[in-house]
Amino acid sequence: MIKFFSKGFFIQYAMAFLIGLMFWLPAFLNKSVIAQPDIYWGPLSAYFYQLFSFLGIAGTIAAYLIVYGGGLIINHLAGYYSVAEKTGTLPLFLFVIISSFFPALTTLSLFTLIVPWIILLMVILFKHAEKDENIIPSFDAGFLTGILALFYFPLFWLILWVWLAFIIFKSAAWRNFTASMLGLLFPTLLIYAFLLFTGNEPVFFEGLGNLFHGGINSSLLLFKGSTFLAYLVPVLILFSAFKVMHQQTNLTISQRSYLFVLGIYVIIVFIIILFFSTGFSAILLLAPAGAVTLSNLIVSSVKPKWTNIAFIVLLLVYLSFSWLTFYYAAQ
């Protein structure tokens, strides 16, 4: 299967879509559970929660199309920046699987809408490495981080990833850090002014306060017998991030920089999920970078035959689990 997705013909794109669809079919057939707002949701997220409840099955279908579209973009970026095979579709396939491997992910959620904007943030940062004058991209990166934080407050910490990317891309000038901070503050102050005008500013300060009072995401432990399956993919993604950051032989300086930035993203987001989330759907945040780092881990395996077998077995286990969950829920 891994060799199959090393190519980029129509059949590979179609198979990635169909296999992903097999994970999502139970969600299409069953009424999706909409994630309830929690203490970390930002002031902009409440409007989308009402939309999720209204859309129903149409929202679930739209969510899968968004996931597949995000996978197409990640696959293109991975090839364009040479952090994956230029003619392959493995990042696309892995993106779809990471976004679908567990039943709690196959629904329209806040994170489904956030992930495309994170992909855009990646594009801005990668473009940052190509430009001599980086003030505008720096402001854009900070601005987009501020927007993301207004949907989900813990994503405020992605500004650390932005700044580390500046350092890795050798753009660590005070102007870039200042521009990114101004970009971060601009949407934040606008929303605060709006909340102040409407008398809801306590919500804003409560959300910011939660950024410094995180705790272990206990909801990840509530899956009981399926806890191992729930954790396996995120742990593999984390392992792949460390792997690509450590072993970077036969790569250009640019490739090493891009992969290192993606690895740092996985680490920061993994910490956010562990300490600053209350639900499992936050795992979706790992998909953009995780698809690339995991594809590098798989392709660089010293035992491709056994890696391929393990990959297929895991795929069948997760697919069976999704359908069994649907079966027992329908009883």
Side-chain angles (χ1 to χ4, degrees):
M1 180 171 284
I2 295 172
K3 187 177 181 180
F4 175 78
F5 284 105
S6 65
K7 301 178 178 64
F9 298 110
F10 174 79
I11 185 64
Q12 278 78 25
Y13 288 96
M15 283 299 294
F17 183 87
L18 291 175
I19 294 175
L21 190 63
M22 292 173 67
F23 280 91
W24 282 74
L25 271 178
F28 297 158
L29 299 173
N30 196 18
K31 185 177 180 181
S32 299
V33 177
I34 306 298
Q36 297 290 324
D38 58 44
I39 60 174
Y40 297 114
W41 284 36
L44 296 181
S45 59
Y47 303 103
F48 286 93
Y49 174 72
Q50 298 175 5
L51 177 64
F52 299 160
S53 303
F54 172 76
L55 288 176
I57 186 64
T60 306
I61 296 173
Y64 180 59
L65 295 178
I66 291 171
V67 164
Y68 187 78
L72 290 173
I73 297 173
I74 284 294
N75 194 73
H76 171 74
L77 292 175
Y80 181 82
Y81 289 102
S82 301
V83 291
E85 295 180 340
K86 288 183 177 293
T87 58
T89 49
L90 188 57
L92 161 64
F93 181 60
L94 290 175
F95 183 92
V96 172
I97 296 303
I98 293 170
S99 303
S100 316
F101 75 95
F102 213 73
L105 302 178
T106 54
T107 183
L108 180 62
S109 70
L110 179 65
F111 300 103
T112 310
L113 301 182
I114 285 176
V115 166
W117 295 101
I118 290 179
I119 295 174
L120 178 59
L121 180 57
M122 287 181 175
V123 173
I124 292 174
L125 287 180
F126 282 12
K127 292 290 185 183
H128 197 281
E130 301 174 339
K131 294 179 178 292
D132 295 328
E133 182 59 54
N134 293 317
I135 295 179
I136 299 301
S138 298
F139 180 87
D140 292 342
F143 180 83
L144 193 52
T145 304
I147 294 294
L148 289 170
L150 293 173
F151 281 100
Y152 195 69
F153 275 121
L155 293 181
F156 169 85
W157 296 116
L158 284 183
I159 195 64
L160 299 177
W161 175 54
V162 171
W163 291 341
L164 287 171
F166 290 169
I167 296 173
I168 294 169
F169 291 145
K170 299 180 179 179
S171 303
W174 68 268
R175 292 187 297 272
N176 294 331
F177 289 108
T178 303
S180 64
M181 180 56 72
L182 291 175
L184 178 69
L185 292 175
F186 183 69
T188 306
L189 292 176
L190 284 179
I191 292 298
Y192 173 72
F194 173 76
L195 294 175
L196 182 65
F197 179 77
T198 58
N200 293 318
E201 72 277 10
V203 176
F204 181 83
F205 289 110
E206 181 181 353
L208 288 181
N210 290 329
L211 292 177
F212 303 95
H213 297 89
I216 293 291
N217 185 350
S218 59
S219 68
L220 296 180
L221 303 175
L222 298 179
F223 289 90
K224 299 180 181 179
S226 58
T227 300
F228 175 76
L229 290 178
Y231 272 115
L232 182 58
V233 171
V235 170
L236 285 175
I237 293 173
L238 184 64
F239 175 75
S240 70
F242 283 113
K243 195 75 172 179
V244 299
M245 293 169 67
H246 177 64
Q247 293 183 349
Q248 297 190 353
T249 57
N250 302 321
L251 298 176
T252 66
I253 294 176
S254 296
Q255 288 173 315
R256 294 174 185 174
S257 299
Y258 293 137
L259 287 172
F260 207 88
V261 167
L262 292 176
I264 290 175
Y265 171 87
V266 169
I267 294 170
I268 290 176
V269 169
F270 194 90
I271 293 172
I272 290 175
I273 293 170
L274 193 59
F275 292 100
F276 298 99
S277 68
T278 60
F280 190 77
S281 56
I283 295 295
L284 287 171
L285 299 175
L286 289 171
V292 179
T293 59
L294 201 54
S295 67
N296 275 269
L297 177 67
I298 293 173
V299 170
S300 63
S301 172
V302 295
K303 296 182 178 180
K305 178 181 178 180
W306 291 106
T307 301
N308 190 56
I309 292 174
F311 185 80
I312 294 173
V313 169
L314 279 177
L315 191 66
L316 292 174
V317 168
Y318 279 112
L319 188 58
S320 300
F321 180 80
S322 296
W323 279 94
L324 284 173
T325 302
F326 164 70
Y327 173 78
Y328 286 115
Q331 296 301 308

